[in-house]
Amino acid sequence: MSNAVIIYASTHHGNTKKVVDAIAKEFDVELVDATQVHEKDLSGYDLIGFASGIYAAQFHQQIKNFAQVNLPQNKKIFFIMTSAMNKDFSKSMAEPIKGKNAEVVGKFTCHGYNTFGPFKLVGGTSKGHPDENDLKDAVEFYRRLVRVGQA
Ligand SMILES: Cc1cc2nc3c(=O)[nH]c(=O)nc-3n(C[C@H](O)[C@H](O)[C@H](O)COP(=O)(O)O)c2cc1C
């Protein structure tokens, strides 16, 4: 069993927090809120996750800062994101992890309830997400990650 931590930021509706909580309920993984904690020694972790809602196609600025400041060399990392579009936005993490020789071993994405800007007028998009199925998928994603080292 690896020594794992997930660094998260979930500031819009707590969507991403629901996902990381579901994982932490099933597995021995530490959660760190990057909006509260800005420095941490990650050298003792075998597996490091970065989880974020997506804002203007980007991981949360505090996640980007945290990775840039704290991610040691040669770590296995993974990404979790919730967004209105349910797309892979992890390209936005390329710059913060540049030069750290990180191995990206998995990516998970799901819909997250969104009431940003004009969407508020129509009651928001992706209402009800992450739902039970999304959370189940997230747990399975993580199970695979710790079992076979990749997901
Ligand atoms: C300021 C802002 C900008 C957003 N920009 C995007 C975006 O570019 N693409 C997208 O798919 N969703 C976008 N969203 C929707 C969020 O990514 C989605 O609601 C996410 O699940 C929020 O996660 P959180 O509740 O954990 O913060 C945006 C939401 C906000 C509040």
Side-chain angles (χ1 to χ4, degrees):
M1 186 72 194
S2 56
N3 191 14
V5 63
I6 299 175
I7 319 299
Y8 72 91
S10 183
T11 54
H12 187 38
H13 283 292
N15 296 328
T16 310
K17 178 77 162 66
K18 284 184 194 156
V19 173
V20 298
D21 279 347
I23 292 171
K25 217 174 112 190
E26 299 272 336
F27 297 94
D28 186 17
V29 55
E30 192 179 332
L31 300 181
V32 175
D33 183 350
T35 68
Q36 305 292 321
V37 179
H38 303 132
E39 283 185 30
K40 185 173 171 68
D41 180 4
L42 297 179
S43 58
Y45 296 93
D46 305 314
L47 187 60
I48 299 167
F50 293 101
S52 183
I54 297 301
Y55 319 95
Q58 303 280 316
F59 271 56
H60 195 287
Q61 187 61 46
Q62 299 281 25
I63 292 288
K64 295 199 286 181
N65 291 353
F66 192 102
Q68 189 150 33
V69 171
N70 300 297
L71 181 63
Q73 292 286 316
N74 307 322
K75 290 293 184 185
K76 284 186 195 303
I77 67 170
F78 63 96
F79 298 121
I80 289 173
M81 52 219 122
T82 72
S83 66
M85 284 162 66
N86 188 15
K87 277 195 180 170
D88 179 6
F89 288 99
S90 61
K91 206 171 70 186
S92 64
M93 288 297 286
E95 194 59 35
I97 67 168
K98 205 172 157 180
K100 294 178 185 286
N101 199 29
E103 184 190 352
V104 180
V105 292
K107 295 176 188 178
F108 177 82
T109 164
C110 73
H111 282 289
Y113 179 45
N114 173 37
T115 54
F116 177 58
F119 297 114
K120 196 166 184 167
L121 301 174
V122 293
T125 59
S126 303
K127 209 167 182 172
H129 288 275
D131 62 13
E132 285 306 309
N133 276 331
D134 297 326
L135 299 182
K136 224 185 277 171
D137 287 348
V139 168
E140 287 315 309
F141 159 81
Y142 192 79
R143 193 187 310 282
R144 195 174 145 69
L145 204 57
V146 288
R147 241 197 225 149
V148 293
Q150 220 148 39

